[in-house]
Amino acid sequence: MYYVTDGMPEPVLIWTKARDVSAMQEVLSDIIGAYERDFAKHPNISEFPKISMIWKSIPSQIT
């Protein structure tokens, strides 16, 4: 379950209390969305598409 929850505290808490996969996935999606929104704050706006492409490519590089 560590792999599924990403080992992040809030999804782990949801999983251990409720064993609700959809609630856990929603929390993970919210966290990932927060990361993506944070990326947009820091670079020049012209660099954001490249950063977004790199971010979205990470899962395919890990598997």
Side-chain angles (χ1 to χ4, degrees), residues 11-54:
V12 169
L13 181 64
I14 296 290
W15 176 251
T16 56
K17 286 188 173 186
R19 301 276 193 227
D20 184 350
V21 174
S22 61
M24 180 188 63
Q25 287 291 79
E26 185 176 332
V27 169
L28 284 171
S29 292
D30 291 346
I31 292 169
I32 291 169
Y35 277 125
E36 290 174 342
R37 287 186 301 278
D38 194 51
F39 290 152
K41 294 178 188 175
H42 303 287
N44 293 333
I45 195 70
S46 64
E47 295 175 358
F48 180 72
K50 184 177 180 181
I51 293 170
S52 180
M53 184 179 66
I54 292 168

